[in-house]
Amino acid sequence: MINELIAKIKKTGAPIVVGLDPTLKLIPKHLLEKAYKECGENPEGVARAIVEYNKGIVDAVADLVPAVKPQIAMYEQFGIPGLIAYQKTIRYCKEKGLVVIGDIKRGDIGSTSEAYAVGHLGKVTIGGVEYRGFEEDFATVNPYLGSDGVKPFIEVCRQEKRGIFVLVKTSNPSSGEFQDQKIDGRSLYELVGEKVAAWGEDLKGEEYSYVGAVVGATYPEEGRILRKLMPRTYILVPGYGAQGGKGADLVHFFNDDGLGAIINSSRGIIAAYQQEKYAAYGEENYADAARQAVLDMKTDIKDALDVAGKHVRM
Amino acid sequence: MINELIAKIKKTGAPIVVGLDPTLKLIPKHLLEKAYKECGENPEGVARAIVEYNKGIVDAVADLVPAVKPQIAMYEQFGIPGLIAYQKTIRYCKEKGLVVIGDIKRGDIGSTSEAYAVGHLGKVTIGGVEYRGFEEDFATVNPYLGSDGVKPFIEVCRQEKRGIFVLVKTSNPSSGEFQDQKIDGRSLYELVGEKVAAWGEDLKGEEYSYVGAVVGATYPEEGRILRKLMPRTYILVPGYGAQGGKGADLVHFFNDDGLGAIINSSRGIIAAYQQEKYAAYGEENYADAARQAVLDMKTDIKDALDVAGKHVRM
């Protein structure tokens, strides 16, 4: 799947993943009203609106980007109907040819991590028949529990040719509380990064490993350090746009081959219509605003990579 | 809710939580066959069997223990039907008066952590009506992302009078890879433990904080250190039984008031019928075997606390 992701990045020229993180405040009113009329003003109605909202965005950007990243928490907050919307969203995105990164940040130990891996990236077998739960292509994983927590995911990735992105240095202001702590002069995130590279040694695609990392756009200097520590690790970079990361900050996350990083933007794209810059589109045309926001983001990243001389070989 | 949990621990005399972690290998055959006949041999059938299996155990132990801890991964692996079984299990346990600790190990940042907190411990408001997703009383939380990840949970706990248990030192063999790393001579888990105590300062029940910690039974020495660092933090202790923890190892997790810890056992109770010791019950009487395993565990812990002179004041 990492090979497929890279092929799509090369084809679109956009190392961009669109974060499908719907909240009530972001969904356009006309979609909510229609869904409430059909399903009631309740979690089922919200779930319907979420799926329609996502479909609009996916239809508008599917030819421009390689991947989407639904954040499961935004669905899980609405209970079972929300999780059904998560599942429907994934299916729709895959029908449209997009790679789906489930931002689930799961992590446990042994058979419990295996259960998460199976539910999201693999399959259960019941009476000789295989069933898939959520069917993401990639999932994000929390490393706090160590190898026991991550390796069951890697085993499922090996069987299924899917992948993971392990949290290394997260984009939030307090990420340093633990991640920046110094151990023999080096930060915890460096140790975690080294482990991610080692876990990935064992499961390589053509150019990069199936085991990726999450490093926030808000920490370009840490991105530079980690880029060197994990040369064959794909880096999923959140924090662009709404969280403050800029195009010029992003170049450090890429290798000289112009690859190695994929930048996420969520609100900056899916709720572009709420920004002054795209207000002229109007709420009803939220999907067109999202498309323009993707095009602008693509240019921002391309310009920064051009300045840095990091070009993708086709 | 921490006050209610402690009241129930005092009433039952059992600082025990039963881990409801069903897997296909643990569910008795007669329950699977019946469920498959009713719902088909598919995820819906498994989900039905899980709920019936759990109900049998809950009915057998509800008068003996204060709490249960369903591990959501074991349900999530079966997709939506599995998560519906998780929800039904929680509702049934609460009807029977048990405190429910959702072992969800979630953790993200800002509004995303808030969404998890809302979905599991709180409520969403749609059209002025409140809806609850999964309705656990407590949830386990992963601290790797720092305060930004934990505080949204604490805010929801404050509003809802519910609680969390933050992972500090986990029970698995590789937990030391990151958690034991030395920072200025002290382990990362100590730093995390201090943070947990500080987060909890702000949200105290009568005797203990609403912000608890997870520390594995397999690390009694670390338990002793953390007990002192976090004097008013309730410790959820996994790893007893199947993972190797013994009664005598557990005393370090308790305060001199005989409180401060609650010990989880999952397979050791719910699949007691598969152990030689309880084999005479037979598979059909798995619930009776579970009841006896709880009684034996209660004695094991009581004997150890008696030797240590740690007694609960009623």
Side-chain angles (χ1 to χ4, degrees), chain B:
Chain B
M1 192 49 67
I2 188 68
N3 299 333
E4 194 175 326
L5 178 63
I6 293 170
K8 282 180 194 292
I9 289 172
K10 288 179 176 174
K11 188 177 156 205
T12 57
I16 292 174
V17 53
V18 175
L20 298 175
D21 306 355
T23 67
L24 277 177
K25 284 180 192 160
L26 303 184
I27 302 173
K29 275 184 217 73
H30 70 285
L31 292 181
L32 275 175
E33 281 166 14
K34 184 163 178 284
Y36 287 164
K37 214 169 276 176
E38 289 165 2
C39 305
E41 194 167 352
N42 54 34
E44 285 76 14
V46 172
R48 167 73 68 97
I50 286 173
V51 173
E52 292 306 312
Y53 177 47
N54 287 343
K55 281 184 177 175
I57 290 160
V58 167
D59 289 346
V61 306
D63 62 320
L64 298 181
V65 298
V68 291
K69 180 175 77 62
Q71 166 53 258
I72 197 170
M74 296 307 179
Y75 303 79
E76 201 165 314
Q77 70 180 321
F78 296 108
I80 299 293
L83 287 162
I84 292 172
Y86 178 73
Q87 189 182 48
K88 284 184 179 167
T89 295
I90 291 170
R91 287 186 183 156
Y92 191 77
C93 293
K94 293 180 83 166
E95 275 170 38
K96 297 290 164 179
L98 291 162
V99 171
V100 177
I101 302 169
D103 199 353
I104 63 174
K105 294 190 179 65
R106 300 300 195 249
D108 208 289
I109 58 173
S111 60
T112 312
S113 257
E114 189 187 339
Y116 280 131
V118 154
H120 290 276
L121 302 172
K123 54 188 181 284
V124 290
T125 304
I126 303 168
V129 181
E130 296 176 346
Y131 297 90
R132 292 185 179 275
F134 292 99
E135 305 184 71
E136 298 96 327
D137 298 307
F138 289 87
T140 55
V141 172
N142 187 307
Y144 187 68
L145 296 96
S147 296
D148 299 330
V150 178
K151 286 192 172 166
F153 279 93
I154 293 177
E155 279 318 300
V156 171
C157 287
R158 187 192 311 281
Q159 292 156 28
E160 302 285 340
K161 295 195 180 299
R162 303 202 177 188
I164 54 174
F165 291 97
V166 180
L167 303 187
V168 175
K169 172 68 182 169
T170 56
S171 61
N172 53 307
S174 78
S175 72
E177 274 177 18
F178 305 127
Q179 298 164 24
D180 290 359
Q181 291 293 342
K182 294 288 181 217
I183 297 146
D184 293 332
R186 301 171 64 229
S187 299
L188 176 62
Y189 69 77
E190 293 177 74
L191 285 194
V192 177
E194 278 184 354
K195 274 280 178 192
V196 168
W199 290 325
E201 273 300 315
D202 209 26
L203 193 60
K204 284 265 178 67
E206 286 164 23
E207 299 171 87
Y208 284 87
S209 167
Y210 280 66
V211 181
V214 176
V215 185
T218 42
Y219 296 104
E221 198 42 52
E222 291 80 350
R224 187 202 305 268
I225 293 165
L226 287 162
R227 179 69 287 165
K228 283 185 190 147
L229 268 181
M230 318 179 294
R232 293 295 107 194
T233 301
Y234 235 83
I235 304 180
L236 171 63
V237 186
Y240 175 87
Q243 285 183 52
K246 295 184 207 77
D249 296 333
L250 299 173
V251 296
H252 308 303
F253 296 87
F254 288 84
N255 276 319
D256 290 339
D257 61 6
L259 295 170
I262 183 161
I263 317 299
N264 180 76
S265 178
S266 301
R267 271 169 297 168
I269 293 172
I270 69 171
Y273 78 92
Q274 292 185 350
Q275 295 172 46
E276 212 181 303
K277 184 175 175 188
Y278 302 104
Y281 284 93
E283 191 163 345
E284 296 243 343
N285 302 308
Y286 73 98
D288 297 328
R291 183 176 176 88
Q292 188 57 48
V294 167
L295 290 168
D296 292 346
M297 180 175 171
K298 186 176 165 182
T299 304
D300 184 32
I301 296 173
K302 190 181 174 299
D303 289 352
L305 288 175
D306 281 348
V307 169
K310 294 186 176 182
H311 297 288
V312 178
R313 296 181 309 272
M314 299 308 276

Side-chain angles (χ1 to χ4, degrees), chain A residues 72-121:
Chain A
I72 198 171
M74 297 306 178
Y75 303 78
E76 201 166 315
Q77 68 180 323
F78 296 108
I80 299 294
L83 287 161
I84 292 172
Y86 178 74
Q87 190 181 48
K88 284 183 179 167
T89 295
I90 291 170
R91 287 186 183 157
Y92 190 77
C93 293
K94 294 181 82 168
E95 276 170 36
K96 296 289 164 178
L98 291 162
V99 171
V100 177
I101 302 170
D103 198 354
I104 63 174
K105 294 190 179 66
R106 301 301 195 249
D108 207 291
I109 58 173
S111 60
T112 313
S113 259
E114 190 188 338
Y116 280 130
V118 154
H120 290 275
L121 303 172

Side-chain angles (χ1 to χ4, degrees), chain A residues 57-308:
Chain A
I57 290 160
V58 167
D59 289 346
V61 306
D63 62 320
L64 298 180
V65 298
V68 291
K69 180 175 77 61
Q71 166 52 260
I72 198 171
M74 297 306 178
Y75 303 78
E76 201 166 315
Q77 68 180 323
F78 296 108
I80 299 294
L83 287 161
I84 292 172
Y86 178 74
Q87 190 181 48
K88 284 183 179 167
T89 295
I90 291 170
R91 287 186 183 157
Y92 190 77
C93 293
K94 294 181 82 168
E95 276 170 36
K96 296 289 164 178
L98 291 162
V99 171
V100 177
I101 302 170
D103 198 354
I104 63 174
K105 294 190 179 66
R106 301 301 195 249
D108 207 291
I109 58 173
S111 60
T112 313
S113 259
E114 190 188 338
Y116 280 130
V118 154
H120 290 275
L121 303 172
K123 54 188 183 284
V124 291
T125 303
I126 303 167
V129 181
E130 295 176 347
Y131 297 90
R132 291 185 181 273
F134 292 99
E135 304 183 73
E136 298 97 325
D137 298 307
F138 289 87
T140 55
V141 172
N142 187 309
Y144 187 68
L145 297 97
S147 297
D148 299 331
V150 178
K151 286 192 172 167
F153 279 92
I154 294 176
E155 279 318 300
V156 171
C157 287
R158 188 191 311 282
Q159 292 157 28
E160 302 285 339
K161 295 195 181 300
R162 303 203 177 191
I164 54 174
F165 291 97
V166 180
L167 304 186
V168 175
K169 171 69 183 168
T170 55
S171 61
N172 53 306
S174 79
S175 72
E177 274 177 19
F178 305 128
Q179 298 164 24
D180 290 359
Q181 291 292 343
K182 294 288 181 217
I183 297 145
D184 293 333
R186 300 172 65 230
S187 299
L188 176 62
Y189 69 77
E190 293 176 74
L191 285 195
V192 177
E194 277 184 355
K195 275 280 178 192
V196 168
W199 290 324
E201 273 300 314
D202 210 25
L203 192 61
K204 284 262 178 69
E206 285 164 23
E207 300 170 86
Y208 285 86
S209 168
Y210 281 66
V211 181
V214 176
V215 185
T218 43
Y219 296 105
E221 198 42 54
E222 291 81 349
R224 186 202 304 268
I225 293 166
L226 287 163
R227 179 68 287 163
K228 283 186 190 146
L229 267 182
M230 317 180 295
R232 294 295 108 196
T233 301
Y234 234 83
I235 304 181
L236 171 64
V237 186
Y240 175 86
Q243 284 183 53
K246 294 182 209 77
D249 296 334
L250 298 174
V251 296
H252 309 303
F253 297 87
F254 289 83
N255 276 318
D256 290 338
D257 60 6
L259 295 171
I262 184 163
I263 317 299
N264 180 76
S265 178
S266 301
R267 272 168 295 166
I269 293 172
I270 67 171
Y273 77 93
Q274 293 184 349
Q275 295 172 45
E276 212 181 303
K277 184 175 175 186
Y278 303 104
Y281 284 93
E283 190 163 345
E284 296 242 343
N285 302 309
Y286 72 97
D288 297 329
R291 183 177 176 87
Q292 189 55 48
V294 167
L295 290 168
D296 292 347
M297 180 174 171
K298 186 177 164 182
T299 303
D300 184 33
I301 296 172
K302 189 180 174 301
D303 288 352
L305 288 175
D306 279 349
V307 169

